[in-house]
Amino acid sequence: MSVASRGPRKEPADADPESRAREICLRMLSASPRTRAQLADALHRKGIPDDVAERVLGRFTDVGLIDDEAFAQAWVRSRHTGRGLARRALAAELRRRGVAGDTIDEAVDSLDPAQEEETARALVRRKLPATRGADPAKRMRRLVGMLARKGYPPGLAYRVVKEALDEEGADLDLAPDDPFD
């Protein structure tokens, strides 16, 4: 390995800005899929003029190298399946990546509500054994909290956890003013 191949690769300062922008985008896209906003932000940080960045990003979009709709759909499938994230959490992640609101809505709406509920049930089943021995109310809080952090609505989270604890035979002596009712 030569000394020149070690470390981060630098673009020549006198390189054509459009060539630099293409190289930056291609390098980022080869590492992982990116949204148009993520690429635009990177180009801005690297000092690429806005008009050049817009031209390069437009061309990449035209040829299909940047596709926020496909990115959002794949992100929703991957993060729901892999991490068990619900619609709310998925939408927040996509917003942080600069995906447009209507694209986010379309992607999270593709998530089947029955599948989302089944994923919540699977998460609870997986976590339930680790809570055995704890006070039933504490178990309820922990499990509902876990689902809430993953973006599940409170009503769904409470219902799924209550059903799982009921199936297990846990004695849920919840107060009538329980905040989840």
Side-chain angles (χ1 to χ4, degrees):
M1 177 188 277
S2 72
V3 174
S5 65
R6 291 186 189 143
R9 194 164 158 208
K10 306 254 186 214
E11 298 88 16
D14 59 346
D16 169 39
E18 197 160 323
S19 296
R20 283 186 58 223
R22 281 193 302 271
E23 176 65 27
I24 291 165
C25 289
L26 287 172
R27 193 171 333 117
M28 290 181 70
L29 289 168
S30 69
S32 68
R34 308 290 175 129
T35 65
R36 183 180 177 108
Q38 288 174 309
L39 293 170
D41 184 49
L43 294 176
H44 178 74
R45 284 192 320 269
K46 297 278 189 177
I48 302 295
D50 290 343
D51 62 322
V52 172
E54 193 54 41
R55 242 187 345 265
V56 169
L57 293 173
R59 179 69 181 135
F60 275 42
T61 301
D62 291 346
V63 298
L65 291 174
I66 302 172
D67 185 346
D68 282 359
E69 290 83 11
F71 175 90
Q73 291 290 338
W75 187 266
V76 165
R77 282 189 308 275
S78 169
R79 301 289 278 185
H80 178 73
T81 303
R83 299 220 24 233
L85 298 182
R87 294 168 189 256
R88 189 178 69 206
L90 292 165
E93 286 188 349
L94 288 170
R95 268 192 299 281
R96 281 192 298 275
R97 282 161 179 71
V99 177
D102 57 335
T103 303
I104 292 171
D105 293 342
E106 187 177 311
V108 297
D109 285 347
S110 71
L111 191 58
D112 179 29
Q115 177 59 44
E116 188 176 36
E117 184 171 332
E118 182 50 41
T119 301
R121 288 180 193 291
L123 289 167
V124 170
R125 278 192 303 270
R126 196 168 45 210
K127 186 77 169 176
L128 199 59
T131 67
R132 287 200 179 102
D135 173 62
K138 183 183 271 188
R139 293 178 81 192
M140 174 68 76
R141 283 192 310 273
R142 283 183 183 171
L143 294 167
V144 169
M146 178 263 305
L147 289 177
R149 287 186 296 279
K150 291 187 176 282
Y152 289 89
L156 172 68
Y158 178 73
R159 181 171 44 81
V160 166
V161 171
K162 184 174 182 327
E163 289 171 4
L165 290 172
D166 285 346
E167 285 174 17
E168 188 184 68
D171 181 25
L172 290 178
D173 186 22
L174 300 175
D177 62 341
D178 184 29
F180 297 110
D181 276 342

